[in-house]
Amino acid sequence: MKFLSGLDGVFLRLETPAIPMHVGSLSLLEPPPGRRGSFLGKVRRLYERRLPLAPVLSRRLHEFPLGMANPVWVQAPSVDLDYHIRRVTLPGPGTWAQLEECVGALHSTPLDRSHPLWTAYVIEGLHDGRLAFYTNVHHAVVDGQAGVELMRALFDLSPRARRLVPARAGAATEEPGTGALIAQALQHDITEYWRLVRDLPAMARALRPNAGRKGGGATGGAGLGPRTPLNVAIDARRGFATASLPFADAHAIAAAHGATINDVVLATCAGALRRYLGRHGGVPPEPLIAGMPVSLRGPGAVEFTTQATMVRVGLATEIADPVRRLRAIRDATTAAKAAVPDTKALARLDFPTLGAPWLLHGLARLYDRPQVASRVPAIVNVVVSNVPGPPRPLYFAGARILHHWPLSIVGHGLGLNVTVESYAGLLEFGVTTALAAVPRPRSFADGLLAAFEQLRSRGRAR
């Protein structure tokens, strides 16, 4: 039995039908030469062998009586792979647009909490004979970096699957009794209350340098983000689009301006936002604000949990020149990163949870009302996340992974999420949208390509 952290419990309790709280990925696969038999069958056999390497795929939730505290994870004695791993065939002619639409639809459905919180789909029917593989997992199970570790557990470095040491058969997990659950919840919360009291002086010291600084200095003096067509109440319908950019070119642009790859990613997103909003209501005179997840993982930390916080960064979208915009973003991210060590004491991943599910569930239901969601100020306009991934090609069930794009979460007032993962010499942009906010995600993804080309043509020299 394993307790969810307080932060993971938040992801669980804030989920509503309109806001599924899972993340995912889409891989484009090149079938192995001379492929025989069912690829779906190969995938299921691979998962059977790899489940010991990724025990989170066997975890399911066990609820407390009356839902008074966060549930706990228990290891299921078996996993129904016929339920979790499925096949979808695209209708003819099997275009890329049909694949993106299919993945958006799959990403719209909340996960069934009576099973371990993940599903996977082999997608067939692409016109060129390639395969696609979409998988999702609840954010209460993994964050972006833990998702990369999960990918490494399932994927191989060559077409030939690596040999694994057979896992010892363990005893079946017994369901914890009601009394044991309550006792352990009380013990957990007493410990977290003690830690909270112990850390109060450090939290006060972390707050003091930021006092009186509007926006914490990380957003270049900006307060709330301007209201845009991206920042509206949404429903459950999701859209998805992809873009792939050469990592080497992004590195060259960054080096020419004393910036980082992440700065180039943010500048590319800022250019795409200017292009998109210029065609949908106009570019606001105030800079848009990005929420940028920052990992709190220490060196070598690979636990499958959420270990991240988020900072706000100004995207300088009021600046038309792409080079000046990049430099402004560089300065904003430098300020944001400098503030992270001072505020780590505030970014508690665990905290007391007795009674918290009732409060969070009530807030989520209130926020889910369109008349409330549409009036909440835009703290950030868009989420942009950049996760380092594998530098060399990987294989899955013998098939080479040509591309690997991430999918993430959108919400009320936050209808666009751009998550980027480096893979085998590429920056893979996954554009997840609420269709109520961004009905044509492909148009925004095309804007990413155009904005990057603008940076590449003008941003190499000072």
Side-chain angles (χ1 to χ4, degrees):
M1 186 171 66
K2 177 180 173 59
F3 279 95
L4 276 78
S5 72
L7 182 58
D8 290 336
V10 168
F11 289 127
L12 198 65
R13 294 302 177 183
L14 292 184
E15 184 170 62
T16 68
I19 310 177
M21 295 294 287
H22 52 255
V23 295
S25 65
L26 172 67
S27 299
L28 182 65
L29 309 176
E30 183 178 56
R35 174 168 64 103
R36 295 179 181 177
S38 165
F39 187 73
L40 179 69
K42 290 183 178 180
V43 170
R44 284 178 177 159
R45 289 191 293 273
L46 182 142
Y47 267 82
E48 281 180 352
R49 296 192 298 267
R50 300 294 169 86
L51 283 176
L53 294 181
V56 293
L57 298 182
S58 302
R59 289 178 185 168
R60 67 173 186 80
L61 293 169
H62 185 100
E63 296 281 352
F64 277 91
L66 304 177
M68 65 180 185
N70 284 339
V72 295
W73 295 117
V74 295
Q75 291 297 129
S78 62
V79 178
D80 183 1
L81 293 181
D82 287 337
Y83 167 82
H84 285 280
I85 302 173
R86 310 168 187 181
R87 175 166 51 201
V88 173
T89 301
L90 298 175
T95 64
W96 192 255
Q98 287 176 304
L99 174 63
E100 290 181 335
E101 183 179 358
C102 171
V103 171
L106 294 175
H107 203 62
S108 302
T109 305
L111 293 164
D112 184 347
R113 296 189 183 184
S114 65
H115 296 271
L117 296 179
W118 64 276
T119 57
Y121 292 81
V122 172
I123 304 175
E124 302 175 338
L126 278 168
H127 67 92
D128 56 8
R130 293 180 296 181
L131 300 168
F133 182 70
Y134 163 78
T135 185
N136 60 19
V137 60
H138 202 284
H139 206 337
V141 179
V142 297
D143 61 9
Q145 194 56 51
V148 172
E149 295 301 325
L150 182 59
M151 184 173 79
R152 287 173 177 155
L154 295 173
F155 296 167
D156 293 297
L157 294 173
S158 72
R160 195 167 189 174
R162 62 190 185 276
R163 292 182 177 274
L164 302 173
V165 178
R168 292 184 178 181
T173 303
E174 294 184 1
E175 296 292 335
T178 300
L181 278 174
I182 295 174
Q184 292 192 44
L186 287 171
Q187 183 180 12
H188 171 269
D189 276 22
I190 289 170
T191 301
E192 291 307 320
Y193 276 121
W194 178 83
R195 289 176 177 169
L196 185 62
V197 172
R198 180 197 64 186
D199 292 344
L200 280 176
M203 295 168 70
R205 288 194 298 272
L207 278 171
R208 196 174 301 124
N210 294 330
R213 265 188 2 196
K214 192 176 182 181
T219 59
L224 297 175
R227 179 68 65 175
T228 76
L230 309 174
N231 309 118
V232 296
I234 67 169
D235 55 30
R237 297 171 302 139
R238 297 293 177 265
F240 179 66
T242 65
S244 299
L245 302 173
F247 186 92
D249 287 358
H251 185 272
I253 295 168
H257 298 281
T260 66
I261 294 291
N262 191 58
D263 296 335
V264 175
V265 166
L266 290 169
T268 301
C269 292
L273 285 165
R274 280 183 56 87
R275 185 175 186 265
Y276 183 84
L277 292 175
R279 299 175 177 179
H280 298 83
V283 179
E286 308 87 8
L288 270 66
I289 307 298
M292 184 176 71
V294 175
S295 176
L296 298 178
R297 292 176 180 271
V302 295
E303 185 179 2
F304 293 105
T305 57
T306 302
Q307 298 183 35
T309 187
M310 185 176 289
V311 298
R312 298 167 66 243
V313 178
L315 290 177
T317 45
E318 79 282 13
I319 300 175
D321 181 81
V323 174
R324 287 184 54 224
R325 191 187 316 127
L326 170 61
R327 292 174 181 173
I329 289 171
R330 174 197 63 193
D331 296 342
T333 58
T334 299
K337 291 173 185 176
V340 169
D342 294 335
T343 57
K344 272 192 175 181
L346 297 173
R348 295 189 60 82
L349 303 179
D350 207 357
F351 38 80
T353 62
L354 281 176
W358 298 328
L359 174 63
L360 290 172
H361 184 65
L363 289 174
R365 288 179 64 88
L366 177 65
Y367 188 50
D368 218 27
R369 297 177 181 176
Q371 64 270 29
V372 175
S374 60
R375 295 178 181 175
V376 174
I379 298 174
V380 299
N381 298 104
V382 60
V383 172
V384 180
S385 181
N386 183 15
V387 181
R392 55 184 291 188
L394 298 177
Y395 294 80
F396 179 63
R400 178 168 174 160
I401 300 173
L402 303 174
H403 292 277
H404 184 80
W405 298 282
L407 291 91
S408 196
I409 299 167
V410 292
H412 292 306
L414 197 59
L416 173 65
N417 182 302
V418 183
T419 302
V420 185
E421 188 172 317
S422 58
Y423 172 69
L426 296 169
L427 288 173
E428 304 278 46
F429 285 69
V431 178
T432 306
T433 78
L435 291 181
V438 184
R440 295 178 58 200
R442 169 46 48 196
S443 65
F444 182 83
D446 289 342
L448 290 169
L449 300 175
F452 186 78
E453 185 56 39
Q454 203 176 30
L455 271 175
R456 181 161 50 186
S457 62
R458 299 184 55 189
R460 287 179 180 268
R462 293 180 184 273

